[in-house]
Amino acid sequence: SENYLGNPLLTANLSADIPANLSCSLWLLNLPEDVTVKELLRPIRGYGRVFATVINPPSKDAGHMGAAAKIIFFELRAAQAMFHDSKSNPSLFTIRNMVPLINMNRIRTAESNLPISHSRVLIIRGPKDLVNNDRLTAFFMEKGITWEMETMITHGNTVPGHTTQEWRFGSYRAQAIAAYLKL
């Protein structure tokens, strides 16, 4: 995909040598042209941890007039449940009146063996002058991190002068993990 900013030759980016029914990767077509990560993830809340999302713009060459997206789950059961539900009740995944066509992705991804504590969501706590949207955005950009955000939530804190922010990245892979390592 022309939208992918990583290295397509890395082993982690190649199709896993597994049967299709063991893949955690789904492919969605018929999405709004300008679909956001937040819109993409909203209807799948509750299925399981999302390892990665990639949204591709419309492409006549690739055969999709609307946007297309890849969603990879950490756990196989989550991908299987979403795939099953998309066949029995496709309207569950409606985004702006468009019902996506959901299939298994041709690029297969095996279930992750990472601990449950690994997530695309980072909880960041610290002094308000360091833990705020402007400062963290500048820090991540300075460190060369490219990301898509589902949302960022500022929570209250019981320690005076401190704050807590919840950064919900679009992906664990190359986004949340990169931010975590730089922090």
Side-chain angles (χ1 to χ4, degrees), residues 147-160:
W147 73 93
E148 293 176 323
M149 186 65 72
E150 177 190 5
T151 193
M152 190 281 299
I153 302 167
T154 300
H155 298 282
N157 205 321
T158 57
V159 178

Side-chain angles (χ1 to χ4, degrees), residues 49-98:
R49 294 180 303 148
V50 172
F51 182 75
T53 60
V54 177
I55 298 174
N56 298 300
S59 172
K60 290 179 185 176
D61 293 339
H64 54 88
M65 301 313 287
K70 173 170 55 174
I71 297 176
I72 303 171
F73 288 95
F74 278 88
E75 295 91 11
L76 178 60
R77 64 160 184 75
Q80 289 175 337
M82 182 177 165
F83 180 73
H84 176 268
D85 288 353
S86 76
K87 299 308 174 200
S88 62
N89 190 359
S91 64
L92 285 174
F93 305 100
T94 301
I95 299 172
R96 284 193 252 149
N97 297 320
M98 295 180 75

Side-chain angles (χ1 to χ4, degrees), residues 3-176:
N3 200 34
Y4 179 63
L5 300 175
N7 181 348
L9 302 178
L10 289 176
T11 304
N13 295 334
L14 300 176
S15 188
D17 188 18
I18 58 172
N21 67 325
L22 296 181
S23 180
C24 295
S25 182
L26 301 174
W27 181 246
L28 290 73
L29 293 168
N30 194 41
L31 296 168
E33 290 183 9
D34 58 346
V35 67
T36 65
V37 169
K38 185 174 188 170
E39 290 174 309
L40 181 66
L41 293 175
R42 184 179 300 126
I44 68 168
R45 190 160 309 285
Y47 279 94
R49 294 180 303 148
V50 172
F51 182 75
T53 60
V54 177
I55 298 174
N56 298 300
S59 172
K60 290 179 185 176
D61 293 339
H64 54 88
M65 301 313 287
K70 173 170 55 174
I71 297 176
I72 303 171
F73 288 95
F74 278 88
E75 295 91 11
L76 178 60
R77 64 160 184 75
Q80 289 175 337
M82 182 177 165
F83 180 73
H84 176 268
D85 288 353
S86 76
K87 299 308 174 200
S88 62
N89 190 359
S91 64
L92 285 174
F93 305 100
T94 301
I95 299 172
R96 284 193 252 149
N97 297 320
M98 295 180 75
V99 178
L101 174 63
I102 302 174
N103 288 302
M104 298 308 297
N105 191 2
R106 67 179 172 78
I107 308 296
R108 299 172 186 170
T109 305
E111 185 171 61
S112 171
N113 59 0
L114 291 170
I116 193 81
S117 60
H118 289 244
S119 169
R120 66 182 178 81
V121 179
L122 295 183
I123 306 297
I124 306 168
R125 294 182 180 95
K128 287 182 180 181
D129 62 328
L130 296 176
V131 180
N132 62 66
N133 192 32
D134 292 340
R135 189 75 182 261
L136 287 172
T137 297
F139 174 78
F140 293 145
M141 289 176 70
E142 174 186 304
K143 297 298 181 184
I145 300 170
T146 302
W147 73 93
E148 293 176 323
M149 186 65 72
E150 177 190 5
T151 193
M152 190 281 299
I153 302 167
T154 300
H155 298 282
N157 205 321
T158 57
V159 178
H162 284 67
T163 192
T164 301
Q165 287 194 329
E166 181 176 336
W167 284 59
R168 295 181 182 180
F169 291 90
S171 297
Y172 169 80
R173 178 183 69 190
Q175 293 182 27

